[in-house]
């Protein structure tokens, strides 16, 4: 089995991000055949502007980011919720990956979304909005599995998700389903 490279985008830029910690735990728990790499380059992206999105004159951060998405077999987003929706940095990253229209790096790319957030549902609105935006951008959104951990700031105040047995279990189940979904997508493509 060839290893699948999964680019992990964290929707929080702060140094103590609980979502980054969740992403680190997921990377550690990834099953054989799945390699998760945390990507930080989306924090360098300018705000999306069609005047800046000019082939041959793109900012380096955009070139590197689009290349990283193109090189990955799949994308895993790990995000909190901001004011009932996805954080602006993540929406900006989605927009940059959605162009050029018709030949973008995110087109047909498998994408899954998980996360932790402060409120009681663990950021499911942000997750839903991220899935919607990725779907409209042409990604192959995996809807069948997720992890949404509520109470982020309290739950992970003293305990890294890696050390939380329940979280490890949830992440392992998610990763197994994610890997299975990616295999299913491969099989469909081979049959086509
Ligand atoms: C601008 C802003 C808006 C927020 N809005 C929400 C929200 O709508 N729902 C929610 O669950 N948490 C909300 N939060 C709290 C975040 O979910 C919480 O701080 C989370 O732990 C941030 O993720 P991080 O630890 O990865 O940085 C908000 C935080 C900020 C800074």
């Amino acid at each position: 089995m060839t290893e699948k490279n999964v680019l992990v985008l964290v929707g929080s830029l702060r140094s103590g991000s609980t979502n980054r910690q969740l992403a680190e735990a997921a990377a550690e728990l990834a099953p054989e055949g799945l390699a998760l790499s945390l990507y930080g380059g989306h924090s360098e992206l300018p705000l999306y502007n069609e005047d800046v999105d000019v082939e041959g004159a793109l900012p380096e951060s955009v070139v590197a980011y689009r290349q990283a998405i193109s090189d990955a077999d799949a994308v895993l987003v790990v995000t909190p919720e901001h004011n009932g929706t996805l954080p602006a940095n993540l929406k900006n990253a989605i927009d940059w990956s959605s162009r050029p229209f018709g030949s973008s790096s995110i087109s047909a790319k498998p994408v899954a979304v998980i996360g932790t957030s402060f409120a009681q549902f663990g950021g499911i609105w942000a997750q839903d909005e991220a899935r919607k935006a990725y779907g409209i951008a042409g990604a192959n959104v995996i809807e069948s599995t997720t992890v949404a951990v509520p109470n982020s700031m309290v739950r992970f105040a003293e305990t890294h998700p890696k050390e939380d047995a329940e979280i490890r279990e949830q992440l392992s189940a998610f990763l197994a389903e994610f890997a299975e979904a990616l295999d299913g997508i491969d099989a469909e493509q081979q049959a086509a």
Side-chain angles (χ1 to χ4, degrees):
M1 184 175 40
T2 52
E3 189 165 72
K4 293 197 175 68
N5 295 308
V6 179
L7 187 89
V8 183
L9 288 179
V10 176
S12 167
L13 305 181
R14 75 183 184 95
S15 52
S17 165
T18 56
N19 283 276
R20 186 170 309 104
Q21 292 174 6
L22 195 65
E24 288 163 359
E28 190 177 285
L29 293 166
E32 204 180 327
L34 217 55
L36 272 57
S37 330
L38 272 68
Y39 183 79
H42 61 303
S43 66
E44 310 292 327
L45 294 170
L47 282 179
Y48 186 83
N49 178 343
E50 285 189 272
D51 293 342
V52 178
D53 194 357
V54 177
E55 195 55 44
L58 289 167
E60 263 177 47
S61 58
V62 172
V63 175
Y65 169 68
R66 285 178 172 167
Q67 192 61 51
I69 302 250
S70 291
D71 290 346
D73 296 304
V75 172
L76 173 63
V77 171
V78 188
T79 190
E81 188 169 275
H82 277 182
N83 296 309
T85 185
L86 68 172
N89 78 82
L90 177 59
K91 179 58 167 54
N92 191 46
I94 295 172
D95 289 347
W96 276 111
S97 64
S98 72
R99 291 294 187 271
F101 183 72
S103 61
S104 75
S105 56
I106 204 66
S107 182
K109 190 74 61 182
V111 175
V113 186
I114 65 172
T116 181
S117 215
F118 188 65
Q120 61 179 325
F121 300 116
I124 52 171
W125 288 337
Q127 293 192 16
D128 286 346
E129 293 292 318
R131 291 189 192 99
K132 182 175 83 174
Y134 272 114
I136 290 171
N140 189 350
V141 180
I142 296 168
E143 309 249 8
S144 54
T145 180
T146 193
V147 172
V149 186
N151 220 10
S152 54
M153 305 296 278
V154 177
R155 179 153 194 160
F156 302 124
E158 305 286 336
T159 311
H160 193 287
K162 284 181 192 175
E163 270 101 49
D164 183 320
E166 191 187 7
I167 298 298
R168 288 178 70 88
E169 205 174 300
Q170 285 182 29
L171 284 173
S172 295
F174 160 76
L175 288 160
E177 287 163 5
F178 184 38
E180 198 180 330
L182 294 178
D183 286 344
I185 290 168
D186 268 1
E188 270 173 33
Q189 282 169 352
Q190 277 161 23

